Amino acid sequence: MSGHKHTCQGDHDHDDTPEMGLQYSLYNKIDTGNLECLNERVEGSGKDVFKAWEERLNFEKYVESDVDEELLFNIPFTGNVKLKGLIIIGGEMDLHPSKMKLYKNRPHMTFDDTSIAPDQEFDLHPDNNGTLEYATKVVKFSSVTHLTLHFPKNFGGETTKIYYIGLRGEFTEGHRHGVTICTYEARPNVSDHKTDLMENISHEIQ
């Protein structure tokens, strides 16, 4: 693999530059209160792997699977995301995930749902430094409000460990319809009042 050239799997190496911190800032746009990680050994630990680029090599916080090697993340965003790439820093040796499946806009998926064909999948390579990016099909992932990541297997370990999941892309605020609805409902009320007023004036004149 050479430089930044994309392979058929869509992965390529990245240099460690200050700009990377800005590019991998989508973790700030995750609705962490509703993020779910299925089969995590320690409750709530799945949220810890979504962190700043500068913290990616902080191995004190991580998520490890529980009863087997599978992990599944349901990741809701606070708006619309155009997802362009992911970086996965996994555990040592055989604890590193070896495959990743991506599903878009399917909230609250479970392991039973993963028989559905993913929107994209990758064969992962061991990466302990966060230098390998997996590029998504941007057209397919251009309007993502919810992202599911399924890690079905690793390199032979009984459990899977992940230290960091980096998400690169663009973010736009979600549309708000409440104001539009209120304005629409208010207009006929104003007209009704005007009509009633005109009728009353006409009646008094007569």
Side-chain angles (χ1 to χ4, degrees):
M1 191 178 301
S2 61
H4 292 259
K5 185 177 180 180
H6 289 261
T7 71
C8 59
Q9 278 291 332
D11 53 300
H12 62 285
D13 291 326
H14 253 306
D15 297 326
D16 187 6
T17 62
E19 288 76 18
M20 290 295 289
L22 295 175
Q23 293 183 34
Y24 276 86
S25 60
L26 280 181
Y27 72 96
N28 277 322
K29 307 303 182 182
I30 295 174
D31 180 5
T32 54
N34 290 305
L35 186 148
E36 300 173 333
C37 180
L38 306 187
N39 196 37
E40 58 185 1
R41 176 169 293 182
V42 178
E43 184 176 354
S45 58
K47 300 176 182 180
D48 292 336
V49 302
F50 299 94
K51 50 192 173 184
W53 170 257
E54 295 77 14
E55 295 294 318
R56 71 192 184 284
L57 299 181
N58 180 355
F59 295 154
E60 292 181 4
K61 292 184 177 181
Y62 58 87
V63 62
E64 186 172 2
S65 62
D66 190 11
V67 298
D68 56 23
E69 74 277 18
E70 286 192 84
L71 282 170
L72 188 148
F73 295 84
N74 283 312
I75 309 164
F77 295 104
T78 57
N80 293 307
V81 166
K82 179 187 289 186
L83 185 65
K84 297 182 177 181
L86 301 93
I87 286 179
I88 310 296
I89 298 180
E92 303 76 8
M93 305 296 289
D94 54 1
L95 301 182
H96 196 292
S98 61
K99 184 177 284 290
M100 173 175 62
K101 297 181 179 182
L102 278 63
Y103 301 85
K104 83 167 203 177
N105 300 339
R106 291 180 176 272
H108 307 298
M109 284 187 67
T110 68
F111 291 112
D112 293 336
D113 300 319
T114 56
S115 58
I116 302 170
D119 292 292
Q120 192 169 358
E121 62 182 307
F122 298 94
D123 290 324
L124 303 182
H125 307 284
D127 181 13
N128 301 120
N129 299 307
T131 58
L132 189 63
E133 181 188 77
Y134 300 90
T136 63
K137 302 172 183 176
V138 179
V139 174
K140 185 176 287 290
F141 291 91
S142 62
S143 184
V144 181
T145 57
H146 185 284
L147 177 68
T148 298
L149 302 180
H150 178 217
F151 300 91
K153 58 183 181 179
N154 56 26
F155 287 96
E158 293 184 1
T159 61
T160 294
K161 186 183 289 187
I162 296 176
Y163 290 106
Y164 173 77
I165 297 178
L167 304 173
R168 181 173 69 86
E170 300 173 6
F171 176 84
T172 55
E173 296 289 345
H175 295 295
R176 297 181 180 179
H177 299 285
V179 175
T180 305
I181 294 172
C182 291
T183 304
Y184 174 80
E185 292 177 347
R187 283 174 180 165
N189 292 336
V190 175
S191 300
D192 290 343
H193 287 307
K194 287 182 179 179
T195 302
D196 293 341
L197 182 60
M198 292 303 296
E199 288 178 355
N200 290 335
I201 293 174
S202 176
H203 184 267
E204 290 175 2
I205 293 176
Q206 293 178 355

